[in-house]
Amino acid sequence: MIKKEIITKYVDLALNIGINLQKEQILVIMSPVETAPFTRLLVEKAYELGASEVIVHWSDDFCKKMTFTYGKKEIFEEMPAWQVDSLMYYANKGAAFLSIAANDPELLAGIDSEKIGAYQKTRGQTLKPYYDKIMVNELQWNIISVPTLAWAKKVFPNANDDEAVNMLWNAILKSTKADTENPIETWKNHLSILKEKMDYLNNKQFEKVVITNSLGTNLTVKLPKNHIWASGKDVTQSGIEFVANIPTEEVFSMPHKYGVDGIVYASKPLNYGGTLIEDFSITFKDGKIIDFSAKSGYEALENLVSIDEGAKYLGEIALVPFDSPISNLGILFYNTLFDENASCHLAIGQAYSSCIQNGDKLSSEEMEKVGMNDSLTHVDFMFGTSDLSIVGYEENGNCENVFINGNWA
């Protein structure tokens, strides 16, 4: 049984370090109904911290599966305006947004891929105004996770229900450092370490990096001029610090839209929209995806890269040491929030404007000119391994090892 005091520390961590909730600020929480007890703790604590209002948008995996199972394709080709209007209403009032990512990894296994593809595309198009605010750090946002039974059983299939949930709770609390004596101070120290790596890369301003490993990955990633590496801590345009992901172990930037060449092999499955994509590879030429393969989930991968033209290019490169706290747990979470922080990863789709100088002020034409990708989607997939090599090349031709055997050189 997980002690309530540790759960309370996790709640405090999410609101104080993750969101950094301000007095008299509105908080919007996106939560599965299955995590309601934890969500209610968030609501109570947010009001104690001085929130002016807390709104919860509930979701339910069972109802979602029934809709996808029995609903006609046409209902996934449009999204009610009130759903985006609600998010934009609170975003325009300066709200902070906290999401609990805890879905069943195989929720939509066996569902008609055309329905899933239509849903993902429609959602991306309709919610773009909201996601644009996220990508330029106009508001505070944070993603955390809480165990659900279906997810816990996927991660720990040999345990009984209660054991599986408790084991996943323990893994989450350890990954997020919520089980330490003072999680908030632990996180401040952790963020300072990530900043050291970030500063090193920003000072180097590599022109490109070359990535190789024994899976067969051989990828050259060009970086735009004046690119910026970021780490765990972000700052809103109004100057409020926040941490978008808890946990986070990454230092990340953007590839040049047209500067990616070669092949990359995924080192972990990708849970995309309730479908697992496993044992897959992607081939790039001049930045564009020209080929891909997958042992399972091929249609889901095909849907992903077909959402729009920008989904055929990359928007993020993130470096995470193989010898990191989450990786060392030896657990495959089937949840990108955790798996991406156990492995170097790339993201298909939209780039973060904070990863290039004055990125939030660029027009669409200027974004294209500097090599910043624009898309309706942003989906991370993992490529880090224990033998990963990353070599950075400066504009003058000098090179140096960034990663050796999966870890910082």
Side-chain angles (χ1 to χ4, degrees), residues 13-143:
L13 185 62
L15 294 175
N16 287 292
I17 291 292
I19 287 296
N20 190 12
L21 187 67
Q22 306 293 294
K23 288 190 180 300
E24 297 302 316
Q25 187 174 25
I26 298 169
L27 175 64
V28 179
I29 301 173
M30 272 75 87
S31 170
V33 293
E34 198 171 345
T35 67
F38 180 83
T39 303
R40 290 168 184 148
L41 293 176
L42 284 171
V43 172
E44 182 179 19
K45 185 63 179 180
Y47 278 121
E48 289 177 3
L49 290 172
S52 62
E53 185 179 9
V54 183
I55 298 94
V56 182
H57 289 181
W58 299 102
S59 61
D60 180 46
D61 272 1
F62 176 82
C63 293
K64 182 177 182 179
K65 184 167 187 174
M66 292 301 99
T67 301
F68 272 92
T69 301
Y70 298 105
K72 295 181 179 179
K73 183 188 172 188
E74 291 73 29
I75 70 172
F76 303 104
E77 293 174 340
E78 60 180 354
M79 186 174 176
W82 67 263
Q83 293 189 18
V84 68
D85 289 346
S86 174
L87 292 174
M88 292 301 294
Y89 171 81
Y90 291 113
N92 291 331
K93 291 174 76 71
F97 291 79
L98 190 154
S99 299
I100 298 175
N103 303 103
D104 177 356
E106 296 185 292
L107 179 70
L108 301 183
I111 297 294
D112 182 351
S113 64
E114 289 191 6
K115 292 182 183 179
I116 298 173
Y119 170 78
Q120 296 290 358
K121 186 171 185 176
T122 301
R123 183 176 174 81
Q125 290 172 334
T126 308
L127 294 180
K128 192 172 193 317
Y130 168 70
Y131 288 128
D132 282 347
K133 288 182 178 290
I134 292 284
M135 299 305 277
V136 300
N137 287 345
E138 191 172 316
L139 44 84
Q140 301 129 272
W141 59 281
N142 172 258
I143 304 174

Side-chain angles (χ1 to χ4, degrees), residues 218-220 256-264 282-292 309 312-314:
N218 191 339
L219 195 71
T220 298
H256 191 289
K257 179 176 180 179
Y258 301 109
V260 182
D261 290 280
I263 188 167
V264 60
I282 303 177
T283 303
F284 298 85
K285 181 174 174 54
D286 298 327
K288 189 173 185 177
I289 294 173
I290 60 169
D291 195 18
F292 54 88
E309 185 63 18
K312 295 176 174 62
Y313 297 85
L314 294 179

